[in-house]
mmCIF file of all heavy atoms in Angstrom:
data_model
loop_
_atom_site.group_PDB
_atom_site.id
_atom_site.type_symbol
_atom_site.label_atom_id
_atom_site.label_comp_id
_atom_site.label_asym_id
_atom_site.label_seq_id
_atom_site.Cartn_x
_atom_site.Cartn_y
_atom_site.Cartn_z
ATOM 1 N N PRO A 856 102.687 81.680 105.136
ATOM 2 C CA PRO A 856 103.210 82.564 106.189
ATOM 3 C C PRO A 856 103.634 81.809 107.448
ATOM 4 O O PRO A 856 104.619 82.170 108.090
ATOM 5 C CB PRO A 856 102.044 83.507 106.492
ATOM 6 C CG PRO A 856 101.196 83.467 105.278
ATOM 7 C CD PRO A 856 101.355 82.102 104.699
ATOM 8 N N PHE A 857 102.924 80.755 107.779
ATOM 9 C CA PHE A 857 103.269 79.976 108.969
ATOM 10 C C PHE A 857 104.547 79.171 108.749
ATOM 11 O O PHE A 857 105.364 79.019 109.658
ATOM 12 C CB PHE A 857 102.100 79.053 109.355
ATOM 13 C CG PHE A 857 100.837 79.812 109.607
ATOM 14 C CD1 PHE A 857 99.834 79.860 108.661
ATOM 15 C CD2 PHE A 857 100.659 80.508 110.790
ATOM 16 C CE1 PHE A 857 98.674 80.562 108.883
ATOM 17 C CE2 PHE A 857 99.498 81.224 111.023
ATOM 18 C CZ PHE A 857 98.508 81.256 110.068
ATOM 19 N N ILE A 858 104.723 78.663 107.534
ATOM 20 C CA ILE A 858 105.966 77.957 107.195
ATOM 21 C C ILE A 858 107.142 78.917 107.281
ATOM 22 O O ILE A 858 108.177 78.599 107.880
ATOM 23 C CB ILE A 858 105.874 77.341 105.784
ATOM 24 C CG1 ILE A 858 104.821 76.250 105.728
ATOM 25 C CG2 ILE A 858 107.226 76.797 105.341
ATOM 26 C CD1 ILE A 858 104.524 75.751 104.327
ATOM 27 N N LEU A 859 106.982 80.106 106.706
ATOM 28 C CA LEU A 859 108.076 81.076 106.708
ATOM 29 C C LEU A 859 108.400 81.560 108.117
ATOM 30 O O LEU A 859 109.575 81.763 108.450
ATOM 31 C CB LEU A 859 107.737 82.248 105.794
ATOM 32 C CG LEU A 859 107.638 81.910 104.305
ATOM 33 C CD1 LEU A 859 107.196 83.124 103.511
ATOM 34 C CD2 LEU A 859 108.936 81.343 103.792
ATOM 35 N N LEU A 860 107.392 81.727 108.964
ATOM 36 C CA LEU A 860 107.647 82.138 110.348
ATOM 37 C C LEU A 860 108.413 81.055 111.098
ATOM 38 O O LEU A 860 109.368 81.353 111.827
ATOM 39 C CB LEU A 860 106.345 82.471 111.071
ATOM 40 C CG LEU A 860 106.489 82.939 112.511
ATOM 41 C CD1 LEU A 860 107.353 84.193 112.603
ATOM 42 C CD2 LEU A 860 105.122 83.188 113.111
ATOM 43 N N ALA A 861 108.034 79.799 110.923
ATOM 44 C CA ALA A 861 108.764 78.703 111.576
ATOM 45 C C ALA A 861 110.204 78.642 111.064
ATOM 46 O O ALA A 861 111.144 78.452 111.846
ATOM 47 C CB ALA A 861 108.051 77.376 111.334
ATOM 48 N N LEU A 862 110.391 78.827 109.755
ATOM 49 C CA LEU A 862 111.751 78.817 109.204
ATOM 50 C C LEU A 862 112.565 79.993 109.734
ATOM 51 O O LEU A 862 113.744 79.851 110.041
ATOM 52 C CB LEU A 862 111.709 78.848 107.676
ATOM 53 C CG LEU A 862 111.224 77.575 107.000
ATOM 54 C CD1 LEU A 862 111.106 77.785 105.507
ATOM 55 C CD2 LEU A 862 112.120 76.406 107.320
ATOM 56 N N PHE A 863 111.931 81.165 109.858
ATOM 57 C CA PHE A 863 112.631 82.320 110.413
ATOM 58 C C PHE A 863 113.072 82.055 111.845
ATOM 59 O O PHE A 863 114.208 82.352 112.227
ATOM 60 C CB PHE A 863 111.739 83.566 110.372
ATOM 61 C CG PHE A 863 112.314 84.718 111.140
ATOM 62 C CD1 PHE A 863 113.341 85.475 110.602
ATOM 63 C CD2 PHE A 863 111.856 85.032 112.409
ATOM 64 C CE1 PHE A 863 113.889 86.530 111.315
ATOM 65 C CE2 PHE A 863 112.396 86.082 113.121
ATOM 66 C CZ PHE A 863 113.411 86.830 112.575
ATOM 67 N N LEU A 864 112.181 81.487 112.657
ATOM 68 C CA LEU A 864 112.532 81.225 114.048
ATOM 69 C C LEU A 864 113.714 80.273 114.168
ATOM 70 O O LEU A 864 114.528 80.402 115.071
ATOM 71 C CB LEU A 864 111.331 80.655 114.797
ATOM 72 C CG LEU A 864 110.243 81.652 115.166
ATOM 73 C CD1 LEU A 864 109.036 80.927 115.756
ATOM 74 C CD2 LEU A 864 110.763 82.693 116.133
ATOM 75 N N LEU A 865 113.803 79.316 113.259
ATOM 76 C CA LEU A 865 114.873 78.332 113.355
ATOM 77 C C LEU A 865 116.148 78.741 112.631
ATOM 78 O O LEU A 865 117.242 78.366 113.046
ATOM 79 C CB LEU A 865 114.387 76.988 112.817
ATOM 80 C CG LEU A 865 113.332 76.311 113.676
ATOM 81 C CD1 LEU A 865 112.759 75.107 112.959
ATOM 82 C CD2 LEU A 865 113.897 75.920 115.027
ATOM 83 N N LEU A 866 116.044 79.508 111.556
ATOM 84 C CA LEU A 866 117.225 79.819 110.754
ATOM 85 C C LEU A 866 117.908 81.123 111.134
ATOM 86 O O LEU A 866 119.123 81.234 111.017
ATOM 87 C CB LEU A 866 116.857 79.871 109.269
ATOM 88 C CG LEU A 866 116.535 78.537 108.626
ATOM 89 C CD1 LEU A 866 116.042 78.738 107.211
ATOM 90 C CD2 LEU A 866 117.751 77.628 108.639
ATOM 91 N N HIS A 867 117.146 82.094 111.571
ATOM 92 C CA HIS A 867 117.735 83.404 111.852
ATOM 93 C C HIS A 867 118.282 83.440 113.285
ATOM 94 O O HIS A 867 117.705 82.883 114.209
ATOM 95 C CB HIS A 867 116.685 84.496 111.657
ATOM 96 C CG HIS A 867 117.280 85.854 111.518
ATOM 97 N ND1 HIS A 867 117.532 86.649 112.595
ATOM 98 C CD2 HIS A 867 117.681 86.544 110.420
ATOM 99 C CE1 HIS A 867 118.053 87.795 112.185
ATOM 100 N NE2 HIS A 867 118.152 87.751 110.858
ATOM 101 N N ARG A 868 119.389 84.116 113.441
ATOM 102 C CA ARG A 868 120.047 84.210 114.751
ATOM 103 C C ARG A 868 119.109 84.808 115.804
ATOM 104 O O ARG A 868 119.025 84.311 116.919
ATOM 105 C CB ARG A 868 121.313 85.043 114.611
ATOM 106 C CG ARG A 868 122.083 85.248 115.885
ATOM 107 C CD ARG A 868 123.347 86.069 115.653
ATOM 108 N NE ARG A 868 123.212 87.133 114.674
ATOM 109 C CZ ARG A 868 122.820 88.380 114.979
ATOM 110 N NH1 ARG A 868 122.530 88.706 116.198
ATOM 111 N NH2 ARG A 868 122.731 89.292 114.026
ATOM 112 N N GLU A 869 118.400 85.874 115.454
ATOM 113 C CA GLU A 869 117.494 86.501 116.420
ATOM 114 C C GLU A 869 116.281 85.615 116.703
ATOM 115 O O GLU A 869 115.751 85.625 117.801
ATOM 116 C CB GLU A 869 117.050 87.870 115.921
ATOM 117 C CG GLU A 869 118.155 88.893 115.965
ATOM 118 C CD GLU A 869 117.670 90.269 115.569
ATOM 119 O OE1 GLU A 869 116.446 90.493 115.543
ATOM 120 O OE2 GLU A 869 118.522 91.122 115.292
ATOM 121 N N GLY A 870 115.857 84.857 115.713
ATOM 122 C CA GLY A 870 114.751 83.929 115.927
ATOM 123 C C GLY A 870 115.135 82.838 116.914
ATOM 124 O O GLY A 870 114.356 82.490 117.808
ATOM 125 N N ARG A 871 116.352 82.291 116.760
ATOM 126 C CA ARG A 871 116.814 81.267 117.718
ATOM 127 C C ARG A 871 117.003 81.871 119.103
ATOM 128 O O ARG A 871 116.721 81.230 120.110
ATOM 129 C CB ARG A 871 118.105 80.635 117.219
ATOM 130 C CG ARG A 871 117.896 79.714 116.045
ATOM 131 C CD ARG A 871 119.129 78.894 115.722
ATOM 132 N NE ARG A 871 120.337 79.688 115.552
ATOM 133 C CZ ARG A 871 120.727 80.243 114.419
ATOM 134 N NH1 ARG A 871 119.998 80.101 113.329
ATOM 135 N NH2 ARG A 871 121.836 80.932 114.342
ATOM 136 N N ALA A 872 117.468 83.127 119.177
ATOM 137 C CA ALA A 872 117.612 83.782 120.480
ATOM 138 C C ALA A 872 116.247 83.969 121.134
ATOM 139 O O ALA A 872 116.102 83.772 122.348
ATOM 140 C CB ALA A 872 118.307 85.133 120.315
ATOM 141 N N ALA A 873 115.239 84.322 120.336
ATOM 142 C CA ALA A 873 113.886 84.454 120.882
ATOM 143 C C ALA A 873 113.358 83.110 121.363
ATOM 144 O O ALA A 873 112.730 83.025 122.423
ATOM 145 C CB ALA A 873 112.949 85.050 119.836
ATOM 146 N N LEU A 874 113.625 82.045 120.612
ATOM 147 C CA LEU A 874 113.214 80.712 121.048
ATOM 148 C C LEU A 874 113.911 80.330 122.345
ATOM 149 O O LEU A 874 113.290 79.758 123.251
ATOM 150 C CB LEU A 874 113.526 79.676 119.966
ATOM 151 C CG LEU A 874 112.566 79.593 118.799
ATOM 152 C CD1 LEU A 874 113.104 78.640 117.743
ATOM 153 C CD2 LEU A 874 111.195 79.168 119.252
ATOM 154 N N ASP A 875 115.206 80.628 122.438
ATOM 155 C CA ASP A 875 115.937 80.334 123.669
ATOM 156 C C ASP A 875 115.327 81.077 124.860
ATOM 157 O O ASP A 875 115.185 80.507 125.939
ATOM 158 C CB ASP A 875 117.412 80.706 123.527
ATOM 159 C CG ASP A 875 118.176 79.741 122.636
ATOM 160 O OD1 ASP A 875 117.776 78.559 122.563
ATOM 161 O OD2 ASP A 875 119.161 80.178 122.012
ATOM 162 N N ARG A 876 114.961 82.346 124.645
ATOM 163 C CA ARG A 876 114.341 83.110 125.731
ATOM 164 C C ARG A 876 112.976 82.550 126.103
ATOM 165 O O ARG A 876 112.623 82.474 127.273
ATOM 166 C CB ARG A 876 114.217 84.584 125.348
ATOM 167 C CG ARG A 876 115.536 85.328 125.376
ATOM 168 C CD ARG A 876 115.339 86.832 125.282
ATOM 169 N NE ARG A 876 114.604 87.245 124.103
ATOM 170 C CZ ARG A 876 115.150 87.529 122.926
ATOM 171 N NH1 ARG A 876 116.459 87.430 122.772
ATOM 172 N NH2 ARG A 876 114.407 87.920 121.907
ATOM 173 N N MET A 877 112.193 82.150 125.110
ATOM 174 C CA MET A 877 110.865 81.593 125.395
ATOM 175 C C MET A 877 110.967 80.277 126.147
ATOM 176 O O MET A 877 110.193 80.021 127.065
ATOM 177 C CB MET A 877 110.082 81.394 124.104
ATOM 178 C CG MET A 877 109.502 82.660 123.532
ATOM 179 S SD MET A 877 108.427 82.310 122.138
ATOM 180 C CE MET A 877 109.441 82.906 120.808
ATOM 181 N N VAL A 878 111.922 79.458 125.756
ATOM 182 C CA VAL A 878 112.080 78.150 126.404
ATOM 183 C C VAL A 878 112.616 78.310 127.818
ATOM 184 O O VAL A 878 112.191 77.621 128.735
ATOM 185 C CB VAL A 878 112.998 77.243 125.554
ATOM 186 C CG1 VAL A 878 113.413 76.009 126.316
ATOM 187 C CG2 VAL A 878 112.297 76.865 124.268
ATOM 188 N N SER A 879 113.549 79.250 128.011
ATOM 189 C CA SER A 879 114.144 79.415 129.334
ATOM 190 C C SER A 879 113.234 80.182 130.286
ATOM 191 O O SER A 879 113.503 80.231 131.479
ATOM 192 C CB SER A 879 115.495 80.124 129.223
ATOM 193 O OG SER A 879 115.306 81.460 128.814
ATOM 194 N N GLY A 880 112.181 80.795 129.753
ATOM 195 C CA GLY A 880 111.251 81.513 130.616
ATOM 196 C C GLY A 880 111.657 82.928 130.915
ATOM 197 O O GLY A 880 111.118 83.559 131.814
ATOM 198 N N THR A 881 112.594 83.470 130.160
ATOM 199 C CA THR A 881 113.042 84.846 130.402
ATOM 200 C C THR A 881 112.419 85.802 129.394
ATOM 201 O O THR A 881 113.046 86.740 128.947
ATOM 202 C CB THR A 881 114.576 84.949 130.313
ATOM 203 O OG1 THR A 881 114.977 84.517 129.013
ATOM 204 C CG2 THR A 881 115.241 84.140 131.383
ATOM 205 N N VAL A 882 111.182 85.559 129.052
ATOM 206 C CA VAL A 882 110.479 86.412 128.111
ATOM 207 C C VAL A 882 110.089 87.688 128.822
ATOM 208 O O VAL A 882 109.444 87.668 129.860
ATOM 209 C CB VAL A 882 109.225 85.709 127.558
ATOM 210 C CG1 VAL A 882 108.473 86.618 126.610
ATOM 211 C CG2 VAL A 882 109.605 84.418 126.880
ATOM 212 N N SER A 883 110.484 88.825 128.253
ATOM 213 C CA SER A 883 110.155 90.092 128.896
ATOM 214 C C SER A 883 108.809 90.573 128.385
ATOM 215 O O SER A 883 108.441 90.358 127.242
ATOM 216 C CB SER A 883 111.233 91.141 128.612
ATOM 217 O OG SER A 883 110.915 91.882 127.476
ATOM 218 N N SER A 884 108.065 91.254 129.237
ATOM 219 C CA SER A 884 106.774 91.794 128.836
ATOM 220 C C SER A 884 106.862 93.290 128.592
ATOM 221 O O SER A 884 105.860 93.957 128.470
ATOM 222 C CB SER A 884 105.736 91.502 129.915
ATOM 223 O OG SER A 884 106.148 92.090 131.134
ATOM 224 N N ALA A 885 108.092 93.817 128.522
ATOM 225 C CA ALA A 885 108.282 95.244 128.290
ATOM 226 C C ALA A 885 108.007 95.572 126.830
ATOM 227 O O ALA A 885 108.215 94.744 125.951
ATOM 228 C CB ALA A 885 109.713 95.639 128.649
ATOM 229 N N PRO A 886 107.536 96.788 126.561
ATOM 230 C CA PRO A 886 107.291 97.167 125.170
ATOM 231 C C PRO A 886 108.599 97.281 124.397
ATOM 232 O O PRO A 886 109.668 97.435 124.972
ATOM 233 C CB PRO A 886 106.595 98.524 125.279
ATOM 234 C CG PRO A 886 106.926 99.021 126.642
ATOM 235 C CD PRO A 886 107.171 97.829 127.503
ATOM 236 N N VAL A 887 108.490 97.219 123.086
ATOM 237 C CA VAL A 887 109.662 97.308 122.218
ATOM 238 C C VAL A 887 110.219 98.717 122.300
ATOM 239 O O VAL A 887 109.533 99.681 122.044
ATOM 240 C CB VAL A 887 109.286 96.981 120.760
ATOM 241 C CG1 VAL A 887 110.480 97.135 119.859
ATOM 242 C CG2 VAL A 887 108.718 95.608 120.676
ATOM 243 N N SER A 888 111.494 98.831 122.698
ATOM 244 C CA SER A 888 112.089 100.158 122.812
ATOM 245 C C SER A 888 113.541 100.181 122.371
ATOM 246 O O SER A 888 114.175 101.204 122.483
ATOM 247 C CB SER A 888 111.984 100.649 124.256
ATOM 248 O OG SER A 888 112.735 99.814 125.094
ATOM 249 N N SER A 889 114.070 99.094 121.912
ATOM 250 C CA SER A 889 115.492 99.059 121.560
ATOM 251 C C SER A 889 115.678 99.124 120.063
ATOM 252 O O SER A 889 115.999 98.146 119.410
ATOM 253 C CB SER A 889 116.132 97.789 122.123
ATOM 254 O OG SER A 889 115.526 96.665 121.545
ATOM 255 N N GLY A 890 115.443 100.270 119.498
ATOM 256 C CA GLY A 890 115.674 100.457 118.068
ATOM 257 C C GLY A 890 114.650 99.799 117.185
ATOM 258 O O GLY A 890 114.934 99.502 116.044
ATOM 259 N N GLY A 891 113.470 99.502 117.688
ATOM 260 C CA GLY A 891 112.415 98.934 116.874
ATOM 261 C C GLY A 891 112.571 97.449 116.594
ATOM 262 O O GLY A 891 111.973 96.939 115.689
ATOM 263 N N ARG A 892 113.360 96.747 117.332
ATOM 264 C CA ARG A 892 113.548 95.322 117.121
ATOM 265 C C ARG A 892 112.359 94.577 117.717
ATOM 266 O O ARG A 892 112.187 94.540 118.929
ATOM 267 C CB ARG A 892 114.844 94.841 117.734
ATOM 268 C CG ARG A 892 116.041 95.540 117.120
ATOM 269 C CD ARG A 892 117.270 95.102 117.810
ATOM 270 N NE ARG A 892 118.085 94.414 116.798
ATOM 271 C CZ ARG A 892 119.088 93.651 117.100
ATOM 272 N NH1 ARG A 892 119.409 93.415 118.338
ATOM 273 N NH2 ARG A 892 119.793 93.098 116.153
ATOM 274 N N ALA A 893 111.560 93.990 116.879
ATOM 275 C CA ALA A 893 110.321 93.356 117.319
ATOM 276 C C ALA A 893 110.559 92.123 118.177
ATOM 277 O O ALA A 893 109.793 91.843 119.083
ATOM 278 C CB ALA A 893 109.468 92.983 116.105
ATOM 279 N N LEU A 894 111.624 91.391 117.928
ATOM 280 C CA LEU A 894 111.851 90.157 118.673
ATOM 281 C C LEU A 894 112.410 90.402 120.062
ATOM 282 O O LEU A 894 112.437 89.498 120.869
ATOM 283 C CB LEU A 894 112.787 89.238 117.901
ATOM 284 C CG LEU A 894 112.164 88.578 116.674
ATOM 285 C CD1 LEU A 894 113.197 87.740 115.958
ATOM 286 C CD2 LEU A 894 110.972 87.746 117.049
ATOM 287 N N ASP A 895 112.847 91.630 120.357
ATOM 288 C CA ASP A 895 113.359 91.891 121.685
ATOM 289 C C ASP A 895 112.264 91.803 122.751
ATOM 290 O O ASP A 895 112.543 91.553 123.905
ATOM 291 C CB ASP A 895 113.990 93.295 121.765
ATOM 292 C CG ASP A 895 115.342 93.334 121.062
ATOM 293 O OD1 ASP A 895 115.874 92.227 120.780
ATOM 294 O OD2 ASP A 895 115.841 94.420 120.801
ATOM 295 N N SER A 896 111.028 91.979 122.352
ATOM 296 C CA SER A 896 109.949 91.928 123.331
ATOM 297 C C SER A 896 109.461 90.518 123.572
ATOM 298 O O SER A 896 108.626 90.293 124.422
ATOM 299 C CB SER A 896 108.792 92.808 122.892
ATOM 300 O OG SER A 896 108.240 92.283 121.695
#
């Protein structure tokens, strides 16, 4: 599961966008409300 999560973060477009947000410090602490997208939070 940890291998697959790392691969998802690097291979999937939304995973890379989440990494970009985490690295840039623009991580939001708001609850998930945009159509159930888990990575938006």
Side-chain angles (χ1 to χ4, degrees):
F857 302 102
I858 294 171
L859 294 176
L860 181 59
L862 289 175
F863 170 77
L864 284 173
L865 291 171
L866 289 174
H867 197 271
R868 179 179 37 89
E869 289 184 15
R871 287 191 307 273
L874 281 173
D875 287 332
R876 286 192 303 271
M877 283 187 252
V878 168
S879 68
T881 59
V882 178
S883 92
S884 59
V887 177
S888 64
S889 62
R892 299 176 117 195
L894 287 178
D895 286 346
S896 65

